[in-house]
Amino acid sequence: MNLARTALTLAAVLALGACDSSTEAPAPAPAPATGAEAMPTGQATADTVQGGLALEGEGLRAFTAQGSARALPFGLSQEMVLTAVSTLLDAPTPEVTTNSECGAGPTQFAEYPNGLQLAFQNGGFAGWYLDEAGLTTADGVGVGTSRADLQSAREIEMIPQSTLGAEFSSGDLGGMLSSDAPDATVEALYAGLTCFFR
């Protein structure tokens, strides 16, 4: 019964993507995708994304075994996102804790063993943070990516005098490099609501 409920919830999440009006591929690619199921580099993207998930500045993207993609955007319900992510990562749903001291107000967090931390507010998906290698954006940017590969994949802007270190932004996606040096690597990525103390 529990398995059936999980499968139905995941199916509902993936079905929502059919109504997703954002049809652009997540990569800074030359051409927009032609539909909700279009992917930037065809089947290869789905095959290379760990756990059927890709990181995006607007949330996450789920990939089915058939290779179609569905958005898990910020604002989606906490229960739906946790069920979908846990199913796609084949991981138990983590305990949800609350941090009452975040600048944006009380925020709930759920952390997976692969370093992916999800943030929620008012029952909705609000942000994510990743500090371990594995998951990537659809264009291959993840923890451990070299600065050279990061800059060839997308335009980045360094955030001057950040108290978090060598922090950068790329559209709605943010992250930290191991240093300001040319041979630095990505140490963390994030999007949406964060609880950084700057």
Side-chain angles (χ1 to χ4, degrees):
M1 183 71 173
N2 212 9
L3 183 60
R5 183 174 172 230
T6 299
L8 284 173
T9 304
L10 181 57
V13 169
L14 296 179
L16 281 176
C19 305
D20 182 9
S21 60
S22 84
T23 56
E24 261 186 49
T34 55
E37 293 191 10
M39 298 195 318
T41 55
Q43 188 63 38
T45 302
D47 293 339
T48 58
V49 174
Q50 175 187 326
L53 279 179
L55 307 170
E56 292 189 335
E58 302 80 24
L60 298 168
R61 187 158 293 266
F63 290 90
T64 67
Q66 294 75 31
S68 62
R70 297 287 186 258
L72 299 175
F74 295 138
L76 203 59
S77 81
Q78 175 176 319
E79 181 182 2
M80 197 169 278
V81 170
L82 285 173
T83 300
V85 172
S86 297
T87 301
L88 290 164
L89 294 180
D90 192 24
T93 301
E95 179 186 356
V96 176
T97 59
T98 299
N99 185 336
S100 300
E101 298 181 6
C102 290
T107 305
Q108 289 70 50
F109 293 96
E111 186 165 356
Y112 286 88
N114 67 348
L116 177 65
Q117 183 184 74
L118 305 180
F120 304 94
Q121 266 195 334
N122 303 315
F125 183 29
W128 60 259
Y129 174 84
L130 181 74
D131 62 2
E132 291 185 28
L135 294 176
T136 69
T137 60
D139 55 356
V141 174
V143 173
T145 298
S146 70
R147 183 171 187 162
D149 287 345
L150 170 65
Q151 291 177 309
S152 68
R154 52 180 59 220
E155 287 187 28
I156 68 165
E157 181 179 338
M158 297 306 295
I159 299 174
Q161 300 178 333
S162 170
T163 58
L164 300 176
E167 187 178 4
F168 68 87
S169 66
S170 176
D172 293 328
L173 187 77
M176 271 77 80
L177 294 169
S178 56
S179 72
D180 287 317
D183 63 349
T185 58
V186 174
E187 283 195 330
L189 292 169
Y190 63 85
L193 178 68
T194 61
C195 193
F196 300 145
F197 293 96
R198 298 180 181 277

